[in-house]
Amino acid sequence: MIKKIGVLTSGGDAPGMNAAVRAVVRAAISKGMEVYGVRRGYNGLINGDIIKMDERSVTDIIHQGGTVLYTARCLEFKEPAGVAKAKEKCNELGIEGLVVIGGDGSFRGAADLSAMGVLCIGIPGTIDNDISCTDYTIGFDTAMNTAMELVDKLRDTSQSHDRISVVEVMGRGAGHIAVNTGIACGATDIITKEVPYDIDAIAKTMLEKKARGKQNFVVIVAEGIGHAQEIAKELEEKTGIEARATILGHVQRGGNPTVRDRVEATRMGYYAVELLEKGIGNRVVGIKDSKIVDYDILEALKMKKPYDEELHHIAEEIAF
Ligand code: ADP
Ligand code: F6P
C-alpha cells in the first residue's frame, strides 16, 4: 500500500487545475495516504520546494483559476541528471507516487520519473485540448468561454463601425479552441492550421456577403497560424472594408473554471489517486466518450488527435 504521494502542476496553467489538486489531496487523505504539494512543477521536485498538504490546504480553491501549486517549465528536468535529483528527493521524503497535472511535455517527464521507480500518473491540464489520448483537457471549456465572451464584446464595436474583426485565439499548434469559439461566436471565417485556407477566397466571399447586406465580419484565427495583424491588413486591402486585429492572449488562461472544468478535474484527480492506491503508475488519465480511461504514458504520447473538420465545415457553410 502506497503511503505518501505528491502532486504538481507543470507547463502552462489552466483553469480547473486547482480543482484537480483539491481532488487529489482530498482523495489521498480519505484513503489514508500522506500527500505533498510540489511547487513550480518539476523545479520543486529538484529543489525540494515541497509542502505537506492537509485537508484544509485545498480549502477555497475549487473556484479559482491558475494553480495554487504554481507552475513552471523546468529545463533541468529534461536531462537525466535532473530526473535523478528528483528521484533522490522523492526517496528522501518517502514519496512513492506522483500526480502530474500538465501537458505532453509534463507527461514525458513523468514517463522518465516512472522509469526511475516513482509511480507517476498524468492528468491532462491545458487550455489547448491538444492531448491525444483524451477527448478533454482541464481548462479547455473555461478558456473557450472566456474567448467567446471577449469576441462577443468585440462584435459590438465591430458592428458599430461596419468592420472586420480578426481575432487570434490561443491553442499553440492546435485549432480546437479556434473552431469551437468560432462556432459559438457565429464567426464569418475560422482559420486554423488543420484546414487549408485562401485569403483571396475569404476576401471574395466577404465582398459577396457584403453585396447581400452583411455589414461586419468576425474572423477567428488560431494562434498556430499567427499573423493576425497581417491577415487583417490583407483583408482590408482586398475588400476595402476597415479591419482590426485583436490578439486575446493570456487572458484566456485566467478566470474561474466552468462547471465542466471543475467536474472533469475532480473526476480525473480522484481516479489518479485510485490508480496509485492500487500501486499502478506510468499511466495518463483521460476522458473518452464521457468515461474515465487510462493509458501507458508512452503509448498515450504516440496517439494522434483528430481535428473536428466537420464542425469547421458546418461553421463555414452556415456563415452567411
Ligand atoms: P506541457 O506539459 O504543457 O506540454 P512543456 O512542454 O513546457 O509543457 O513541459 C513542461 C515541463 O515538462 C518542462 O518544463 C520539463 O520540465 C518537462 N518536460 C518537457 N519535455 C520533456 C522531455 N522530453 N523529457 C523530460 N521532461 C520534459
Ligand atoms: O499551452 C497553453 C498555452 O496558453 C498555449 O495556448 C500558448 O501557445 C502557450 O501556452 C503560451 O505559453 P506562455 O505562457 O509560455 O506564453
Side-chain angles (χ1 to χ4, degrees):
M1 159 83 184
I2 292 226
K3 294 208 181 65
K4 282 189 197 175
I5 68 165
V7 54
L8 61 80
T9 48
S10 169
D13 64 293
M17 279 185 165
N18 280 329
V21 170
R22 173 181 177 273
V24 169
V25 169
R26 292 270 170 90
I29 292 170
S30 135
K31 292 173 190 306
M33 299 175 194
E34 275 183 49
V35 55
Y36 288 85
V38 178
R39 302 206 293 189
R40 298 182 176 83
Y42 291 114
N43 282 312
L45 213 48
I46 290 174
N47 306 328
D49 188 2
I50 298 172
I51 46 172
K52 176 92 191 292
M53 308 289 274
D54 61 33
E55 58 194 86
R56 296 271 67 84
S57 318
V58 289
T59 296
D60 280 340
I61 68 166
I62 195 164
H63 62 295
Q64 286 174 18
T67 160
V68 292
L69 291 179
Y70 303 90
T71 186
R73 299 201 165 95
C74 170
L75 293 182
E76 198 181 347
F77 196 75
K78 288 191 177 179
E79 304 302 326
V83 182
K85 269 197 207 171
K87 162 71 176 153
E88 243 173 68
K89 195 49 80 181
C90 289
N91 286 351
E92 251 174 56
L93 289 169
I95 293 177
E96 301 156 282
L98 182 71
V99 179
V100 173
I101 306 163
D104 278 348
S106 305
F107 297 161
R108 274 178 225 290
D112 292 347
L113 193 57
S114 293
M116 302 280 288
V118 179
L119 300 177
C120 292
I121 305 290
I123 294 182
T126 163
I127 62 164
D128 304 334
N129 203 22
D130 60 348
I131 298 178
S132 303
C133 68
T134 181
D135 293 341
Y136 193 74
T137 62
I138 297 168
F140 183 49
D141 191 53
T142 307
M144 288 190 299
N145 275 287
T146 302
M148 180 188 73
E149 283 170 23
L150 295 170
V151 176
D152 286 350
K153 290 185 201 296
L154 277 171
R155 182 184 282 278
D156 291 343
T157 158
S158 176
Q159 182 260 330
S160 303
H161 284 264
D162 295 324
R163 278 177 177 160
I164 299 171
S165 256
V166 177
V167 188
E168 183 180 304
V169 297
M170 274 190 167
R172 208 182 288 265
H176 308 299
I177 295 180
V179 68
N180 285 281
T181 305
I183 283 267
C185 296
T188 329
D189 293 279
I190 299 169
I191 304 180
T192 67
K193 268 168 78 176
E194 291 90 343
V195 176
Y197 70 98
D198 173 357
I199 290 289
D200 286 318
I202 292 175
K204 184 169 170 276
T205 322
M206 275 180 178
L207 288 174
E208 286 164 9
K209 288 174 186 169
K210 191 169 184 221
R212 293 201 308 270
K214 191 167 173 62
Q215 287 169 319
N216 67 90
F217 302 85
V218 172
V219 180
I220 302 290
V221 180
E223 179 184 24
I225 297 277
H227 317 305
Q229 299 280 3
E230 286 85 349
I231 290 174
K233 192 161 167 271
E234 269 186 85
L235 287 174
E236 184 168 302
E237 282 165 6
K238 288 178 197 293
T239 60
I241 307 169
E242 211 178 14
R244 292 286 186 272
T246 306
I247 298 172
L248 297 186
H250 288 82
V251 69
Q252 293 162 96
R253 287 233 300 257
N256 300 355
T258 59
V259 169
R260 183 165 187 201
D261 276 319
R262 298 181 200 195
V263 172
E264 302 302 24
T266 301
R267 288 174 78 199
M268 291 197 273
Y270 185 84
Y271 188 81
V273 176
E274 282 190 319
L275 289 175
L276 290 177
E277 189 188 21
K278 292 179 198 149
I280 298 171
N282 197 32
R283 311 289 289 177
V284 178
V285 174
I287 294 176
K288 279 272 164 199
D289 302 323
S290 304
K291 300 229 158 42
I292 298 267
V293 290
D294 60 282
Y295 300 99
D296 173 88
I297 297 181
L298 295 177
E299 291 305 315
L301 288 171
K302 279 190 224 146
M303 295 177 183
K304 283 261 166 286
K305 185 171 216 161
Y307 173 74
D308 198 337
E309 285 195 28
E310 195 186 338
L311 200 57
H312 193 116
H313 292 307
I314 289 173
E316 281 180 341
E317 194 178 330
I318 65 172
F320 46 82

